Amino acid sequence: MSALKKADHFNTSLAEEMDSSFQLHSPFVTRRIQLNHASSLPQIGSSVYQCFFEHSSDAMLIADADCKILHVNPAFVAITGYTLEESIGQTPHLLCSGVHSESFYDQLWESLNQKGYWRGELVNKHKNGDAFSIWQRINVIEDNNRQVLYYISAFSDISIIKNTERKLWQMAHLDSLSGLANRALFEQRLLQELFAAKRSGQFGAVIFLDLDDFKKINDCLGHRFGDLLLQEVAKRLQLNLRTEDTVARLGGDEFVILLSGLTHKLDDAEKTAGNVAQKVLNALLEVYLIEDQELQISASLGITLFSTAFDESTEKLLRQADVAMYAAKTEGKSTYCFYHPDMLEQANKRLSIENELRFALQNDQIVLFYQPQYDAARQLLGFEALVRWQHPEKGMISPADFLPVAEETGIIIELGERLLYMACRQLAAWHSQGFKVPHLAINISPVQFTHCNFVDSVNSAMELTGVNPAAIMLEITENLIIKNITEVIEKMRLLKQRGIRFSIDDFGTGYSSLAYLRRMPIDQLKIDRSFVQDITHNENDAAIVNTIIAMAGSLNLDIIAEGVETPEQVAYLADCGCNAFQGYWFSRPLPGTEVLSILDKG
């Protein structure tokens, strides 16, 4: 007799046996099913039983006392992929996925043996090898002597439900772009680690990571390119951390890392966290290849430690790590710093400046002053535009107090464009009034210069104001040249074609290289005030100044000294070959209205 006929025969005979010999409770009942000839409950006919078995949407199987499968229904075949003939004679182990431990099955059998039923969630394996989740009910059928006759099991495929639950969990706890933990999940794990640290006494660490100059990548290459870069950064972070560590993306280009169970000693914990931070920095510095374009980007990291000796909340720890990260940025970026309490005061001050500076931009508190530049005979050579913040309560604020914050936060892009336009508009106004100003020097931040729209912003300012490009002198720093030589030269070349001239500001304070200078389309070197201040009685400063003047002469460049405050300095510089000066000996920086008096005098 074939397996299929045997199954049909078994199906009928079992139904008849149940119909005549004992009451049948559904396989979903939660107690044993035993023989009971004296049952007063209505009997279920074999046709009803067979209809229920064959047409149930749940997969059903019947196994004997040895767990050998006697029969399965069509839903079982549809859900598992195993045919009736393939199933009969096998044990339910046929569907074992290997996901569950031995202890799981021990508990299952303990429930069957003691209670006569089991129900719960488990993972089975389809015939094609795919795992799928089910909700299963198993009942034991016994005779009057409590000897097992059959096991009846019914289960439903809940994969769709589980997938939906998983997607909802991912939406709530994972970052959609990077696949990393989000802030909510990170804070949950951090809270768990805080409790664990208090029990174990071991240190843990929170590392806050921010990519340097990421906004420039978004602005120049587009947000899609930026997203691809963030995904690559996420991969590198995961590859360079332990499996027990957590890395999350908080948003934008901000990431945070949780290091757990470091050590019981503070010094060792600091060393370990520092080593991890350096490893991450090195990994992120490696060249990225995105859509056939090579790119390098650095990061700044802030670290704070926690253990049983600390009583900090998750919010405070994140804040501390964030504050330490900003300290790393102020130290030159591409480095890491550990948090200490003094940083918080500095961070609050910086945040206050940032908020007030944004307000100042919207309310015309940013103004320009103009410092004249002369030759030794006090003939006017031009002006340098110098930014000031005219605060309604604090008075005039020096650029040294707010420009670093503007550069860190990216405000410098908007600020720089506005100052460029204001300076060009003032120069055009002087010219329209009949005053001849040979040139106006305008300082350009390195962040502003390297922005992808810099050339366009300069051209736009000149076109909107109608200023003569030949009267514009853009001052850039020496360090900008060293870091971005190819990009700088190309932008300078484009602007030189319009007639704009360039000066290297604060020359001598960076890495002065004749080889670099020969490649640059520059017109002027400006000697930094730090060398001029002690030039008459400091041999080293005097030697540096003489070298700069000689270098300018060999390259046919103009030379000007800033910070000139005494007639002795003027005389010494003139004797060395410098015939252009700027400083308090000649004039302090003046508001635009006072400049007119100088222009009136010619």
Side-chain angles (χ1 to χ4, degrees):
M1 185 181 294
S2 68
L4 187 57
K5 289 182 179 180
K6 287 181 179 179
D8 288 339
H9 174 74
F10 168 80
N11 187 39
T12 302
S13 62
L14 178 63
E16 292 173 346
E17 179 181 353
M18 289 179 175
D19 201 24
S20 60
S21 304
F22 57 88
Q23 66 182 48
L24 173 65
H25 293 258
S26 162
F28 312 104
V29 298
T30 56
R31 65 184 185 84
R32 299 175 188 274
I33 299 174
Q34 296 180 347
L35 290 176
N36 183 3
H37 291 285
S39 174
S40 61
L41 293 175
Q43 302 297 306
I44 299 177
S46 60
S47 60
V48 176
Y49 164 76
Q50 186 168 0
C51 181
F52 172 75
F53 186 85
E54 295 296 328
H55 296 285
S56 173
S57 61
D58 286 348
M60 300 182 70
L61 70 84
I62 301 172
D64 62 18
D66 295 324
C67 291
K68 295 293 182 63
I69 297 175
L70 301 173
H71 194 32
V72 298
N73 70 344
F76 179 95
V77 176
I79 292 175
T80 68
Y82 289 100
T83 65
L84 179 62
E85 292 184 335
E86 292 172 328
S87 304
I88 292 176
Q90 301 289 333
T91 68
H93 186 75
L94 178 72
L95 305 177
C96 182
S97 63
V99 172
H100 303 287
S101 64
E102 290 185 10
S103 62
F104 173 87
Y105 290 106
D106 289 341
Q107 293 175 7
L108 184 153
W109 278 105
E110 181 180 358
S111 178
L112 288 176
N113 293 332
Q114 293 183 3
K115 301 178 182 179
Y117 71 90
W118 178 87
R119 61 180 177 181
E121 183 182 312
L122 54 79
V123 178
N124 271 352
K125 183 175 67 176
H126 192 275
K127 180 181 177 181
N128 64 12
D130 293 341
F132 63 98
S133 299
I134 65 169
W135 178 258
Q136 185 165 16
R137 290 82 71 199
I138 306 173
N139 283 91
V140 182
I141 297 177
E142 300 175 342
D143 60 19
N144 288 331
N145 297 320
R146 303 200 62 165
Q147 296 298 311
V148 176
L149 296 176
Y150 306 107
Y151 294 99
I152 298 179
S153 172
F155 60 84
S156 54
D157 187 348
I158 58 171
S159 297
I160 295 178
I161 297 175
K162 298 300 293 183
N163 288 337
T164 301
E165 290 177 352
R166 183 163 51 251
K167 289 178 181 178
L168 290 174
W169 186 90
Q170 290 174 347
M171 291 173 62
H173 296 91
L174 299 183
D175 172 57
S176 58
L177 177 65
S178 64
L180 299 176
N182 62 11
R183 179 185 288 271
L185 179 57
F186 183 86
E187 289 184 350
Q188 287 180 17
R189 294 185 177 175
L190 177 54
L191 187 60
Q192 293 171 358
E193 288 303 323
L194 286 175
F195 285 120
K198 288 183 178 181
R199 291 193 303 268
S200 67
Q202 290 184 317
F203 281 90
V206 175
I207 303 177
F208 201 104
L209 183 153
D210 184 87
L211 299 179
D212 298 326
D213 303 321
F214 178 75
K215 186 178 184 300
K216 182 174 72 173
I217 294 173
N218 266 345
D219 292 343
C220 298
L221 301 177
H223 287 274
R224 179 177 173 276
F225 191 95
D227 287 347
L228 293 175
L229 175 61
L230 290 174
Q231 290 172 346
E232 290 301 314
V233 168
K235 291 177 183 177
R236 293 192 184 183
L237 291 176
Q238 289 177 305
L239 287 173
N240 286 276
L241 295 171
R242 303 172 302 176
T243 55
E244 59 265 36
D245 298 328
T246 298
V247 57
R249 176 173 175 253
L250 302 185
D253 61 329
E254 293 181 339
F255 297 83
V256 63
I257 299 166
L258 172 61
L259 305 180
S260 58
L262 296 181
T263 178
H264 290 85
K265 294 182 179 180
L266 177 60
D267 291 344
D268 292 341
E270 286 184 348
K271 182 178 180 180
T272 301
N275 290 339
V276 172
Q278 190 60 56
K279 182 181 179 181
V280 167
L281 286 173
N282 294 340
L284 296 183
L285 273 175
E286 294 180 7
V287 176
Y288 297 84
L289 181 61
I290 301 175
E291 294 186 339
D292 298 326
Q293 184 165 345
E294 290 189 351
L295 176 72
Q296 261 191 310
I297 191 167
S298 61
S300 299
L301 277 64
I303 308 172
T304 187
L305 299 174
F306 61 87
S307 77
T308 184
F310 297 87
D311 187 19
E312 304 289 358
S313 66
T314 58
E315 183 179 353
K316 285 185 178 180
L317 287 171
L318 283 171
R319 174 65 173 150
Q320 291 173 2
D322 187 17
V323 166
M325 181 273 295
Y326 272 105
K329 283 191 180 293
T330 59
E331 290 190 6
K333 304 178 181 180
S334 192
T335 187
Y336 65 87
C337 283
F338 282 91
Y339 170 80
H340 60 79
D342 292 343
M343 290 180 177
L344 188 57
E345 181 180 354
Q346 298 170 6
N348 290 334
K349 180 181 178 181
R350 182 178 61 248
L351 181 60
S352 177
I353 292 175
E354 178 185 349
N355 292 334
E356 291 189 70
L357 183 55
R358 293 186 189 277
F359 182 83
L361 278 172
Q362 301 301 320
N363 292 274
D364 299 323
Q365 296 178 11
I366 304 300
V367 296
L368 282 175
F369 277 47
Y370 303 89
Q371 188 169 33
Q373 298 173 339
Y374 293 95
D375 64 13
R378 285 189 177 269
Q379 295 296 313
L380 183 66
L381 300 177
F383 293 89
E384 179 183 1
L386 300 170
V387 63
R388 297 291 187 270
W389 180 356
Q390 204 164 25
H391 197 283
E393 298 175 359
K394 302 176 182 177
M396 202 66 68
I397 300 178
S398 168
D401 294 329
F402 65 86
L403 284 183
V405 176
E407 291 190 335
E408 289 174 17
T409 58
I411 298 177
I412 193 64
I413 302 300
E414 180 184 355
L415 175 61
E417 290 180 355
R418 182 170 299 190
L419 295 176
L420 184 63
Y421 172 76
M422 290 168 59
C424 290
R425 183 180 61 185
Q426 180 65 78
L427 182 60
W430 289 334
H431 286 175
S432 67
Q433 294 169 15
F435 299 114
K436 183 180 179 181
V437 177
H439 76 258
L440 179 62
I442 305 170
N443 288 282
I444 303 298
S445 160
V447 177
Q448 180 186 4
F449 191 98
T450 56
H451 193 271
C452 55
N453 294 328
F454 174 69
V455 174
D456 292 337
S457 67
V458 175
N459 288 331
S460 176
M462 291 189 298
E463 292 170 3
L464 289 173
T465 59
V467 74
N468 180 9
I472 298 295
M473 175 84 79
L474 298 183
E475 293 192 1
I476 59 177
T477 61
E478 188 177 356
N479 289 333
L480 170 66
I481 299 174
I482 304 304
K483 292 181 179 180
N484 307 279
I485 182 68
T486 303
E487 177 186 350
V488 170
I489 289 176
E490 176 58 21
K491 289 184 177 181
M492 292 177 69
R493 184 188 63 80
L494 292 172
L495 294 174
K496 289 281 286 185
Q497 291 175 352
R498 295 291 304 272
I500 291 177
R501 294 185 296 160
F502 286 91
S503 174
I504 304 300
D505 194 15
D506 301 333
F507 191 78
T509 59
Y511 176 66
S512 307
S513 169
L514 185 62
Y516 277 112
L517 293 178
R518 294 183 63 174
R519 296 176 58 188
M520 307 296 299
I522 57 178
D523 303 278
Q524 182 189 76
L525 298 181
K526 177 179 275 190
I527 302 172
D528 186 67
R529 67 179 65 249
S530 61
F531 302 122
V532 175
Q533 183 177 2
D534 298 324
I535 193 173
T536 57
H537 55 271
N538 187 304
E539 293 182 358
N540 291 332
D541 288 347
I544 291 173
V545 169
N546 275 279
T547 302
I548 294 173
I549 294 173
M551 185 181 294
S554 66
L555 295 172
N556 295 317
L557 301 177
D558 294 335
I559 189 77
I560 184 172
E562 66 176 356
V564 179
E565 298 180 352
T566 67
E568 291 80 13
Q569 293 170 347
V570 175
Y572 189 96
L573 288 166
D575 288 343
C576 293
C578 176
N579 198 37
F581 313 95
Q582 175 182 341
Y584 273 54
W585 174 249
F586 295 93
S587 173
R588 61 183 174 83
L590 305 170
T593 53
E594 295 186 26
V595 170
L596 293 176
S597 62
I598 294 178
L599 296 177
D600 281 336
K601 297 175 182 178

